[in-house]
Amino acid sequence: MDLSQHIRERGLKATPSRISVMKVLESDHRAYAHADLETIFSTMDRVTLYRVLNDFEETGLVHKVIDMDGVTRFAYCKHSCPDTHHADEHVHFNCQVCRKMFCLENMPAPSFNIPKGFKAMGQNVLVFGLCKSCSAA
Amino acid sequence: MDLSQHIRERGLKATPSRISVMKVLESDHRAYAHADLETIFSTMDRVTLYRVLNDFEETGLVHKVIDMDGVTRFAYCKHSCPDTHHADEHVHFNCQVCRKMFCLENMPAPSFNIPKGFKAMGQNVLVFGLCKSCSAA
DNA sequence: ACTTAAATACAACAATGTTGCGTTTAAATT
DNA sequence: AATTTAAACGCAACATTGTTGTATTTAAGT
Ligand SMILES: [Mn+2]
Ligand SMILES: [Mn+2]
Ligand SMILES: [Zn+2]
Ligand SMILES: [Zn+2]
């Protein structure tokens, strides 16, 4: 799989920053916070990193999810989403101990029977608790 | 219903700040952000307001929920929760237009069959879309 | 009325995220 | 291979949300 090509297919230039961020996101389908990636890429400008992540999200390469601390995280879209909306609405798991967030890709988010008058457009389902390594320890 | 008494029952002093914040939260079971309440109570010190809300949450008078913007919101607990954990896990609705958040109190959050190894301790279910007044307009 | 632990007000700080703008570069064109 | 240019980057400045420390004030029990 050619990451540069994957990025260019969405109309974005395949720059070094984008390629290296995408390499991390693509290799491990966890939702990464800006701070996580800033640690990994200590030399990358922080505004550039924000813009890389937002551009990826807007073009459907990654999806955005808010974690239990209110921090925005980004995760690779297994099957790139149409640029109109994100089609991969699955449950996310957030570990209370290590704070890592996992995409439960084969657990689709259910739909809910919302009271009359409300119009549901989507949902964020977040389960929190202990991840595998933290519940073992 | 005596708000001062309700506050004191949880071991907190019934101060003017706490009574007026509780009056708003109790009168309308929506989840309010700090910024909302700062607007309503323009003279209240912002740190005091943060501490009022956190104290309410820690004593089970209100519950905390993160909205679609990652901002923490607080809503009245219809039946005060035990101080060990919050027992009122229901679905929340967040309007994309007016950003208001509503407690769907008679819609309990479902439980999910999380993969082996993970230990679920709770969940945040957030549905977003258009609220009644915004879908009418 | 007195006492005191709890709460408040104010300042300082931290983390997350955005905007504006001059400079650099990916990649299309010649 | 050189040229062109819109896109992306780097840096500074700013905004919002939230926390911590501490001196002063106050709710509520005695
Ligand atoms: Mn995901
Ligand atoms: Mn609620
Ligand atoms: Zn963990
Ligand atoms: Zn609305």
Side-chain angles (χ1 to χ4, degrees):
Chain A
M1 171 178 310
D2 184 358
L3 293 181
S4 298
Q5 186 57 22
H6 193 220
I7 291 166
R8 274 191 290 260
E9 273 167 3
R10 292 278 151 168
L12 301 176
K13 288 188 185 175
T15 64
S17 309
R18 284 176 176 161
I19 295 166
S20 44
V21 170
M22 182 54 77
K23 199 177 295 183
V24 170
L25 297 180
E26 188 269 342
S27 70
D28 174 11
H29 299 186
R30 261 173 41 214
Y32 285 85
H34 178 272
D36 299 330
L37 295 162
E38 218 184 357
T39 301
I40 297 172
F41 303 109
S42 50
T43 64
M44 196 178 296
D45 181 79
R46 53 189 297 281
V47 175
T48 297
L49 182 49
Y50 275 116
R51 296 207 254 233
V52 163
L53 293 169
N54 285 330
D55 291 345
F56 281 175
E57 200 269 339
E58 282 164 16
T59 55
L61 288 169
V62 306
H63 55 282
K64 176 163 43 175
V65 55
I66 308 276
D67 72 13
M68 56 189 296
D69 300 311
V71 175
T72 302
R73 289 175 174 266
F74 297 89
Y76 185 76
C77 286
K78 208 166 179 178
H79 307 295
S80 291
C81 293
D83 46 2
T84 47
H85 71 294
H86 282 277
D88 59 336
E89 300 216 324
H90 47 250
V91 176
H92 290 94
F93 186 91
N94 209 168
C95 179
Q96 294 172 319
V97 177
C98 64
R99 310 318 265 188
K100 281 181 186 148
M101 181 178 270
F102 302 86
C103 290
L104 304 184
E105 275 162 341
N106 40 24
M107 180 167 283
S111 53
F112 298 93
N113 271 20
I114 294 302
K116 276 190 217 313
F118 291 96
K119 260 197 186 63
M121 305 290 286
Q123 61 278 314
N124 295 328
V125 179
L126 180 63
V127 179
F128 55 87
L130 281 75
C131 77
K132 291 185 193 189
S133 36
C134 290
S135 57
Chain B
M1 171 178 306
D2 183 359
L3 293 182
S4 298
Q5 187 57 23
H6 191 220
I7 290 166
R8 274 191 289 261
E9 272 166 3
R10 291 279 151 167
L12 300 176
K13 288 187 184 176
T15 64
S17 309
R18 283 176 177 163
I19 294 167
S20 45
V21 170
M22 181 55 75
K23 199 176 296 183
V24 170
L25 297 180
E26 188 270 342
S27 70
D28 173 11
H29 297 187
R30 261 171 44 213
Y32 284 85
H34 177 273
D36 300 330
L37 294 163
E38 218 184 358
T39 301
I40 297 173
F41 304 109
S42 49
T43 64
M44 195 178 297
D45 181 80
R46 52 189 298 281
V47 176
T48 297
L49 182 50
Y50 275 115
R51 296 208 252 232
V52 163
L53 292 169
N54 285 331
D55 292 344
F56 281 176
E57 201 269 339
E58 282 164 16
T59 54
L61 288 168
V62 305
H63 55 280
K64 174 159 51 170
V65 55
I66 308 278
D67 72 15
M68 56 190 296
D69 300 310
V71 175
T72 302
R73 289 175 174 267
F74 297 89
Y76 185 76
C77 285
K78 207 166 181 178
H79 307 294
S80 292
C81 294
D83 47 2
T84 47
H85 71 296
H86 282 277
D88 60 338
E89 301 216 324
H90 46 251
V91 176
H92 290 92
F93 185 90
N94 209 167
C95 179
Q96 291 173 319
V97 176
C98 64
R99 309 320 265 189
K100 280 180 187 151
M101 179 177 270
F102 302 86
C103 289
L104 304 184
E105 275 162 342
N106 40 24
M107 180 168 283
S111 53
F112 298 93
N113 271 18
I114 294 303
K116 278 192 217 312
F118 292 97
K119 260 196 186 65
M121 304 290 287
Q123 62 278 314
N124 295 328
V125 179
L126 181 63
V127 179
F128 55 88
L130 281 75
C131 77
K132 291 185 191 189
S133 37
C134 290
S135 59

